[in-house]
Amino acid sequence: MTQSETRPPSAADLATRFEAERGRLRSVAYRMLGSLSEAEDAVQESWLRLQRADSADVQNLGGWLTTVVGRICLDMLRTRASRREDPLEPDTAETHVPDVVVRPADPGQEAELADSVGLALLVVLDTLAPAERLAFVLHDMFAVPFEDLAPIVERTPAATRQLASRARRRVQGSAVPAPTDLARQREVVDAWLAATRAGDFEALLALLDPDVLLRVDAGPGTASKLVRGAVEVAGQATYFGQMVDTASAAYVGDGVGIVQAPRGQVVSVLVLSFRDGRVGGVDIIADPGRLAAMGVTWPLEPREDGL
């Protein structure tokens, strides 16, 4: 090996190579954490660790960074879990809605949307133990070998394989409804907007699954709201109708949702899930801090960050 081959890369070259990996690393961290702001923090921490490391010894920068981000996320998940002193009641747990990626409702982006992370998957991943989540996400989604994951979770490769297998069974066995095609989702969203605009309770009721669940996250210091049943949720839409003229359809997560932006200021994002062609879930993110961290601004712009 020549002297030039062993010479550490310059700071500028290292930064360039890291930026080439940033989008993929953010995707890893987002799937691990379910939070866009925490994902960005994890990626930034990986950059700091890369700067402190002897980069001349790093043969596969992409693989090295992926495992580093995985280790950072694992620590963050464990810290998050340790703060939960008491088990959450089922209804309380259901009020947590993971961050979602919001894009303009542009038909040209449908192929990209098919590769995005759905809210249903993030909710299921949130039920896994931290080590299970890491093993499943990094191996099943990003093809990291178990031999590389084992040191991170402090287990043998065989035991790490069992973690991923257990997580995979939980994910596959979760009660995720069959997907409703995007065209039907857009029809339902347009009908929702028209019904709320007209104050047509019966029309809105017809769009809702009988067991629809409404969850509202308004931010710290504000009680989260949980409403069950089509009649109750349709009734809650009365308040939504007051702002319907400022609401627009958008791609939210991996489906069609709604963004409310009075006077150009985004105040809430409605994440809709569908069951048999009707709305089975309405998750409203109205926490100003979360909306800012998610980068939701009006008008919406196409994302170019790998998510």
Side-chain angles (χ1 to χ4, degrees), residues 81-101:
S82 69
R83 290 172 180 163
R84 299 174 181 169
E85 298 180 358
D86 300 307
L88 295 174
E89 294 296 327
D91 281 0
T92 304
E94 285 183 317
T95 61
H96 172 70
V97 182
D99 286 352
V100 289
V101 176

Side-chain angles (χ1 to χ4, degrees), residues 24 28 66 135-146 148-149:
R24 188 178 58 81
V28 171
T66 299
F136 175 77
V137 169
L138 265 64
H139 179 268
D140 284 38
M141 295 184 176
F142 294 94
V144 178
F146 290 119
D148 294 342
L149 299 179

Side-chain angles (χ1 to χ4, degrees), residues 1-289:
M1 183 176 292
T2 66
Q3 182 177 0
S4 62
E5 290 176 316
T6 60
R7 184 182 302 122
S10 67
D13 180 55
L14 197 62
T16 298
R17 293 171 62 190
F18 179 82
E19 287 303 318
E21 300 285 344
R22 181 182 288 274
R24 188 178 58 81
L25 296 175
R26 190 184 288 110
S27 295
V28 171
Y30 175 52
R31 286 157 177 79
M32 281 289 297
L33 300 168
S35 165
L36 291 165
S37 60
E38 290 183 352
E40 188 59 46
D41 290 343
V43 172
Q44 190 59 30
E45 175 62 23
S46 73
W47 165 241
L48 297 176
R49 294 191 186 187
L50 177 61
Q51 289 179 301
R52 295 193 295 265
D54 186 353
S55 54
D57 293 336
V58 178
Q59 301 299 317
N60 178 356
L61 182 64
W64 187 89
L65 286 169
T66 299
T67 56
V68 167
V69 166
R71 184 175 286 109
I72 293 168
C73 291
L74 182 62
D75 290 342
M76 294 172 73
L77 287 173
R78 285 171 170 167
T79 299
R80 183 191 295 174
S82 69
R83 290 172 180 163
R84 299 174 181 169
E85 298 180 358
D86 300 307
L88 295 174
E89 294 296 327
D91 281 0
T92 304
E94 285 183 317
T95 61
H96 172 70
V97 182
D99 286 352
V100 289
V101 176
V102 182
R103 302 177 176 87
D106 177 5
Q109 291 187 306
E110 289 189 9
E112 176 184 343
L113 195 71
D115 293 330
S116 63
V117 185
L119 178 65
L121 176 59
L122 288 176
V123 170
V124 175
L125 291 178
D126 224 20
T127 67
L128 303 178
E132 290 176 341
R133 187 164 182 167
L134 180 138
F136 175 77
V137 169
L138 265 64
H139 179 268
D140 284 38
M141 295 184 176
F142 294 94
V144 178
F146 290 119
E147 290 74 13
D148 294 342
L149 299 179
I152 303 177
V153 296
E154 299 177 339
R155 288 171 169 81
T156 65
T160 306
R161 184 185 299 274
Q162 288 300 313
L163 283 176
S165 178
R166 187 160 61 241
R168 193 178 305 117
R169 288 195 298 271
R170 299 261 313 262
V171 170
Q172 293 173 347
S174 61
V176 178
T180 298
D181 68 82
L182 291 176
R184 173 57 182 165
Q185 290 184 29
R186 184 58 188 266
E187 288 178 5
V188 172
V189 168
D190 289 343
W192 172 294
L193 293 172
T196 51
R197 185 177 294 114
D200 191 337
F201 180 86
E202 293 299 327
L204 184 59
L205 194 63
L207 299 172
L208 303 175
D209 183 89
D211 297 320
V212 62
L213 175 68
L214 169 70
R215 303 179 291 188
V216 182
D217 177 7
T222 304
S224 296
K225 181 180 292 186
L226 185 67
V227 179
R228 296 179 184 275
V231 173
E232 290 76 11
V233 171
Q236 289 292 319
T238 302
Y239 173 73
F240 173 76
Q242 298 173 4
M243 294 192 295
V244 72
D245 288 338
T246 67
S248 301
Y251 285 148
V252 180
D254 60 349
V256 182
I258 298 171
V259 175
Q260 292 178 315
R263 297 178 298 280
Q265 179 67 38
V266 176
V267 297
S268 64
V269 172
L270 278 69
V271 188
L272 305 181
S273 57
F274 296 83
R275 185 182 301 120
D276 297 327
R278 291 191 288 181
V279 176
V282 184
D283 295 305
I284 302 178
I285 300 176
D287 177 352

